Structure formats: C-alpha cells, structure tokens
C-alpha cells in the first residue's frame, strides 16, 4: 500500500471520528445529559458546627443504665440514647464522651470520640423518626446530586471534629493536610477542579485552610494551586464577623434541642475549643499577616500583632447594631477586679460602692478578652475561656480567626445567606442566685427585625440597625460582610423565589458600591412574596467573579435543605460548565420547574400548572393529582434553557 493511500485512509478515519464525536455530543444534549467539563468537577462539602457525627472510640460502662458506649457507637447525635440516659439521670456518662479538657483539648480519660467519615457523617446526624429536622443536614442535597446524575465519587464530604480549634484540628488530626490531599486526589480522579460548599462554621474552617496552605506551598505556586484545584467557593450562612448567640451559649448554655439542662449544655459548649471560633468581633480590628512577614524578610513573630483602626474607638458598638453583652455584676469594691483592663476600670469609675452595676461590652471587648476578664471573679468559666482565647486564637501561628475576612483568592466566590429573620444581636445578663454553672440568667434579649431593633418585650431599642436582619442565628452585620468583596459597580437583580415567568424580575445595572457601606437596591417589595436578591460583579477583579445572594426568610440551619437554594446552585453550576454559555452568570429572566416535584395541579384551571413544562402523567401509586404532574422532558433538557 502506498504512503499516499495510507495518508488518505488516516485522514478519512480522523474525519469520521470527529463527525461521530460531534454527533455523540449532540445526542447527549438531546437526551438531556450534561456536557462540557461537568464530568470533571467534584463537590467538596465542609459542614458546620455540630453537623458531623461523632462516634465513640473506646468502651465506657454507664452505671445504673443498660446503655453503655462501645467503639463506633454514635455519641453525637444519638438522641434516643441521650433521652434514656437523661431519664435515668446518667447524662454524665454521655458527657464523658463529648466533653474535652478546656485547657489542653484532650478527651476524657474514660471515653474518647472521633468524627465519622464519608457522606454518612453529614447527611443525617441521627437517622430515625425521633429527631426529624433536628438531625437532617445534607441529605436533601445528596438526593439532588443523585437525581441529576452526579457520580458517587464526585461528591466528597470532609467532616471534622467541630469541637476543636483550628490549630488543634491540624495538631491532633492533620485535618488540613488531609484536606489538601482531598483536593489533589479529586483532581487526579475527576480531571478537573472542585467546587467547595461550606456551611456556617465550615466557612471558618475553609478560611483557615487557605491561610495554612500559604505556608505549605511556595508563594509563586499558591494561586496556581488554587486555580487548578478550586473552581468555585459557595459560602453559605457564614458568620464572617461572628455570631451573638455564641456569647449566650458561653454564659447560659444552648441545648441544640437535646434533652439536657442549659447548665449542662454550658459545660459542654465551653469545653470545646471551637466555642470561641464564632465569637463576635470588630471589623475595625485586624492582625498582621505572618505569611507576608515571613517572605518579606520581616521580623518573624510567634503570633499576629492585633491592632484596631481609629474608627473602632470613634464609633459605637464596634460597628454592630448594639452592644453584644450587658451584664449586671454585684460590686463588692474595686479590689474585686485585680486584672481588669483599663477600659473596664473606666466603666467602674462612676460606680457606687456595694450596688449592682450594669456593664456593657462591644464586639471588640468580647473578642479581645476584656469581657471575660471583667467577670472572672464571679465566674470560674471565664478563666478557662481566657486561656482558650489567648492560646488557641490570639496566639495562633497561622491566623487570628477573630479578624475580618478578605476575599478568598479563588476565581469564583458566591456568598449566600438568609435575611429578614428575627435574630438576636444583644443580651442582658444578671446573677441568678444559683450555683455554677447556672449562675447567670438572661433578663432581656435585643433582636434585629427588618431594619429595626426590638427588645424581648417588643419595645424599640436605640442602636445602629442594618437595612435588613439576619438568618435567625447570625446577625445581618456579620452575614453581609462579604458585600465588601464586591467591586465599585454591581449589578443587582431581585426575583421571586418561586417559579416565575420573568414579569416580576427587577434589575439595576452598575449600581455604585461604596466600600464599608451596605448596598440598598431601589426596588419594590410585595409583602406576600419571598425574594432572592442577587448582587453580581465580574468586572472588578480580572478573570474573577463575586456574587452575593440574599434569600428572604431562609433559616440558618435549614438553608442547606432549601429547594430554592439548591435550584440556584444547580443552575449556576450547569451554566458554568456548559460550553455554550456566554454570560458571566446564569440568567434570572425566568424560573421554570426542574424536577417532577416542582410540578403541581392547578385546581383553578383543572390541569397541571406550568403546562409549558409539566403534564399529567399518572403512575401507579400516585394518591393525588399533584403527584401525577410530571415534567414533559428530562431535567437535563430543562437545564438547557438556562445556558
């Protein structure tokens, strides 16, 4: 056979192969299957506080109880066992497996617990009928992944021991080394970068990981590593500046819905090094970067230097709506405060001897330890918290987490949170007359509610309320910090949360965004409609996108189960990986049903609603008309409308 003939045959084979490949791609799109680089992406989930199962890693005999703890038994959260232990007055047995030593963060001598692994560790904390919504976390999200055809090895959970401070996570479990290997393994396995989904405290964990990574990778390769391994970061319900409820848990206890007393819950919470990780702090106080000092030839210190801007002392409340803590202390004389800071001594200068006095503390005074120093003569817990605060946070060699965030150097950052929920922003405490740990009682609570501050009794309170309120757990001031990551010009879109045809969509283009000030869109609101407001910027930082999604009435814990959020996440990811996408962000022009569950029966018209998308299709087992309304085409075909 001649050389020319061989070349002709090879050319024909190549042409046929290219044509077949194009046909296969068209067929795949016609069949509603994902195209582009979708098959290469991985999703890495970092859960929030108390959202990972803990299992016993030792034997513990519980006296006067038929329930003992054996290796791999659920410790957090086995509600059935904890209820029985409580009824049998053997809750101290369970606590041995949960509590940590407050000074060195080691396990109890008689019981050891460790975080579970895999997706099962974060989907449901306590599978069963008793706990219900209390324990269901990422299960619905995994269902969506399965429904849209995501491969099993494409979704990776990275659970952690949420009781530990960041430095202890690395010291005891090498957590951040393992997380780095997880990203690198996902890249080798799937061939593409990962999408990070972090909820609540999981965002703090991810922030610390990014700072830790700077010291693990050569400076010139740091951004390259991020670009290769992380496509997008979805920060959901992140307490960027902390949460006020953390202080309440430290002084009076938060039960997490468990059948334990608030005093017991307080003991448990304050034994965790992570309890201070979510303390509120000032946006005006920062710490020097160890990373840049190390590589710029500066003097290397053991921990970042903490300093505050002059605005911290010129403005009230550290930029928060009100003081974080107002506490009544029975004064016995000035010598009762041997180690109080100058700020506290100034407050004490006008006190009358022997009378209870109300002290108020801002977010800075909580995070820098002033508050805990002020009550250490009346509360034994304060000394332990001060030790943790200094050792685990102020002196952390990687990062002082109680400082404001900068935008992560990731190509695509999406900040998502709920708004317009009644959220606690300040508390009043007084001595209860009971012994420790029940020695403090909450006498009043200050809430933010849709632009105003109200007390527990319903009275208006003076302060600096934001334009909106938080997500019932984290105040709006903390959630919305990521708006500072947007550039000087922002496109704003407001749409109804439900499926819509586009007639109610409101758009403002190139809205001016002043750094440090909230962006308030000039848009109408119907009291009967829940909205999503999108703030999008793809111009300020070359080749990077930043977006903020504010979801009306989305609860902090339940937001990861919100069908509205999952729908928007899917559309954005689908848009990002599709080869035919031209816009920077997914279109907001309309929202139709994506799944059979989104179709329903319209009794007024006696047909399935959204007839363009849904049709009546009875299947055996349907018990009502709505169940028989199903999509006319596959979910993949529906997604093609949003390219």
């Amino acid at each position: 056979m001649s050389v020319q003939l061989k070349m002709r045959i090879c050319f024909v084979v190549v042409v046929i192969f290219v044509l077949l490949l194009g046909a296969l791609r068209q067929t795949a799109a016609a069949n509603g299957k994902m195209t582009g680089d979708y098959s290469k992406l991985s999703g890495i989930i970092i859960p929030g506080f108390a959202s990972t199962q803990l299992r016993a890693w030792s034997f513990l005999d519980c006296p006067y109880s038929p329930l003992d703890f054996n290796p791999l038994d659920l410790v957090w959260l086995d509600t059935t066992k904890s209820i029985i232990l409580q009824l049998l007055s053997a809750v101290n047995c369970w606590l041995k497996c949960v509590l940590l030593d407050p000074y060195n963060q080691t396990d109890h001598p008689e019981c050891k617990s460790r975080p579970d692994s895999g997706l099962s560790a974060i989907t449901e904390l306590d599978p069963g009928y008793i706990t219900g919504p209390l324990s269901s976390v990422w299960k619905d999200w995994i269902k969506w992944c399965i429904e849209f055809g995501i491969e099993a090895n494409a979704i990776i959970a990275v659970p952690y021991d949420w009781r530990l401070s960041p430095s202890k996570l690395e010291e005891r479990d090498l957590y951040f080394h393992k997380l780095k290997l997880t990203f690198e393994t996902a890249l080798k396995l799937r061939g593409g970068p990962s999408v990070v989904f972090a909820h609540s405290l999981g965002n703090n964990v991810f922030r610390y990981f990014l700072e830790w990574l700077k010291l693990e990778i050569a400076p010139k390769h740091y951004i390259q590593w991020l670009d290769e391994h992380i496509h997008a970061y979805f920060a959901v319900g992140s307490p960027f500046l902390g949460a006020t409820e953390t202080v309440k848990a430290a002084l009076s206890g938060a039960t997490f819905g468990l059948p334990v007393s608030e005093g017991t819950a307080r003991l448990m919470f304050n034994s965790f090094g992570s309890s201070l990780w979510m303390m509120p702090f000032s946006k005006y106080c920062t710490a020097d970067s160890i990373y840049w000092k190390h590589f710029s030839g500066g003097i290397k210190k053991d921990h970042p230097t903490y300093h505050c801007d002059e605005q911290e002392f010129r403005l009230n409340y550290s930029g928060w709506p009100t003081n974080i803590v107002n506490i009544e202390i029975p004064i016995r004389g000035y010598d009762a405060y041997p180690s109080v800071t100058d700020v506290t001594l100034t407050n004490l200068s006008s006190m009358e001897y022997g009378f209870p006095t109300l002290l108020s503390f801002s977010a800075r005074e909580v995070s820098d330890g002033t508050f805990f120093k002020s009550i250490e003569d009346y509360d034994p817990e304060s000394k332990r918290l001060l030790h943790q605060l200094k050792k685990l946070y102020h002196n952390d060699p990687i990062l002082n987490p109680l400082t404001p965030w900068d935008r992560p150097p990731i190509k695509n950052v999406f900040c998502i949170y709920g708004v317009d929920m009644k959220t606690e922003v300040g508390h009043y405490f007084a001595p209860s007359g009971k012994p420790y740990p029940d020695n403090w009682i909450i006498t009043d609570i200050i809430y933010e509610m849709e632009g105003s501050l109200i007390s527990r009794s319903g009275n208006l309170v003076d302060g600096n309320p934001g334009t909106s309120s938080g997500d019932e757990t984290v105040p709006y001031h903390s959630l919305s910090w990521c708006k500072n990551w947007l550039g000087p010009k922002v496109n704003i879109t407001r749409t109804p949360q439900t499926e819509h045809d586009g007639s109610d969509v409101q758009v403002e283009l190139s809205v001016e965004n002043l750094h440090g000030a909230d962006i308030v869109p000039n848009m109408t609101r119907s009291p009967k409609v829940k909205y999503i407001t999108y703030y999008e910027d793809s111009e300020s930082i070359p080749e990077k996108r930043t977006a903020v999604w504010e979801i009306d009435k989305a609860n902090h814990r339940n937001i990861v189960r919100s069908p509205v959020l999952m729908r928007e996440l899917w559309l954005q990811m689908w848009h990002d990986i599709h080869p035919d996408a031209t816009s920077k962000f997914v279109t907001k022009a309309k929202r139709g049903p994506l799944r059979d569950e989104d179709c329903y029966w319209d009794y007024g018209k006696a047909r399935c609603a959204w007839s363009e998308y849904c049709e009546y299709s009875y299947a055996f087992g349907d018990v009502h008309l709505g169940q028989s309304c199903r999509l006319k085409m596959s979910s993949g075909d529906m997604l093609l409308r949003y390219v």
Side-chain angles (χ1 to χ4, degrees), residues 75-80 82-83 86 94 98 126 131 134 254-262 265 268:
V75 173
W76 185 277
L77 183 69
D78 188 340
T79 311
T80 306
S82 63
I83 290 175
Q86 177 72 7
W94 170 71
V98 179
D126 183 21
T131 54
L134 170 67
T255 64
F256 305 102
L258 292 171
V260 297
S261 67
E262 289 186 344
M268 178 178 65

Side-chain angles (χ1 to χ4, degrees), residues 69-146:
F69 285 98
N70 297 304
L72 300 184
D73 282 354
L74 271 179
V75 173
W76 185 277
L77 183 69
D78 188 340
T79 311
T80 306
K81 180 176 286 190
S82 63
I83 290 175
I84 295 175
L85 289 172
Q86 177 72 7
L87 293 175
L88 295 174
S89 300
V91 70
N92 288 336
C93 187
W94 170 71
L95 281 175
K96 290 178 181 178
C97 295
V98 179
L99 293 177
L100 297 175
D101 184 282
Y103 288 100
N104 55 30
Q105 294 295 282
T106 55
D107 299 284
H108 191 279
E110 298 181 37
C111 188
K112 179 188 297 185
S113 296
R114 290 295 179 267
D116 204 352
S117 60
L119 288 175
S120 61
I122 67 170
T123 50
E124 284 188 300
L125 300 183
D126 183 21
Y129 298 101
I130 295 179
T131 54
L134 170 67
S135 69
S136 179
V137 187
W138 291 92
K139 185 177 181 179
D140 292 336
W141 174 244
I142 303 302
K143 287 182 178 179
W144 272 68
C145 294
I146 295 172

Side-chain angles (χ1 to χ4, degrees), residues 139-340:
K139 185 177 181 179
D140 292 336
W141 174 244
I142 303 302
K143 287 182 178 179
W144 272 68
C145 294
I146 295 172
E147 185 170 344
F148 281 97
I150 305 299
E151 294 294 333
N153 62 4
I155 303 298
I156 306 170
V158 283
Y160 57 96
D161 194 332
W162 42 266
R163 302 172 298 170
L164 298 177
S165 67
S167 58
K168 289 295 181 180
L169 276 175
E170 179 62 19
E171 179 184 322
R172 195 196 74 180
D173 297 342
L174 291 179
Y175 178 78
F176 298 110
H177 270 96
K178 294 177 182 177
L179 184 55
K180 177 176 179 287
L181 290 174
T182 299
F183 281 106
E184 293 171 347
T185 302
L187 177 61
K188 290 183 179 180
L189 181 65
R190 308 286 299 174
S194 299
V195 179
V196 177
F197 303 97
H199 177 239
S200 192
L201 180 64
N203 292 282
N204 297 29
V205 173
F206 185 62
R207 178 200 184 189
Y208 192 90
F209 167 72
L210 294 177
E211 294 297 321
W212 172 88
L213 194 63
K214 290 178 180 178
L215 300 177
E216 292 293 314
I217 297 178
K220 63 180 180 180
H221 297 309
Y222 176 67
I223 299 300
Q224 178 185 347
W225 190 96
L226 293 179
D227 290 344
E228 289 178 354
H229 293 83
I230 304 177
H231 168 73
Y233 166 42
F234 289 88
V236 183
S238 177
F240 290 109
L241 300 177
T244 313
E245 282 196 359
T246 312
V247 182
K248 181 181 74 171
L251 260 67
S252 62
T255 64
F256 305 102
L258 292 171
V260 297
S261 67
E262 289 186 344
T264 300
R266 183 192 181 197
L267 287 172
M268 178 178 65
F269 183 78
N270 289 339
S271 77
F272 304 155
S274 62
S275 63
L276 296 169
W277 207 348
M278 300 169 286
M279 284 288 176
F281 55 87
S282 173
K283 64 181 180 181
Y284 302 119
C285 298
T286 59
D288 296 332
S289 173
I290 293 294
Y291 172 75
W292 292 117
K293 281 190 174 184
H294 179 73
F295 291 106
S296 62
I299 299 174
K300 187 175 180 181
K301 299 181 180 180
D302 293 334
H303 56 85
T305 303
Y306 186 77
H307 53 86
C308 296
D309 191 281
E310 61 177 9
Q311 289 181 290
E312 167 63 29
F313 306 101
R314 190 173 69 246
L315 303 177
N316 294 328
Y317 317 130
S318 298
W320 285 68
T322 185
N323 282 319
I324 304 299
V325 183
N326 304 274
I327 189 165
E328 187 178 292
I329 294 180
I331 301 302
R332 299 190 300 268
Y334 298 150
D335 58 348
Y337 293 87
S339 59
V340 176

Side-chain angles (χ1 to χ4, degrees), residues 467 476 483 492-494 506-508 511 518-525 533-535 550:
T467 57
Y476 180 77
K483 282 187 175 180
I492 306 177
T493 308
R494 177 170 288 168
Q506 304 173 65
V507 180
E508 287 186 27
V511 177
D518 194 13
I519 311 174
V520 183
N522 183 23
M523 296 177 176
T524 60
R525 277 185 177 274
T533 306
Y534 307 85
Y535 304 82
E550 292 185 346

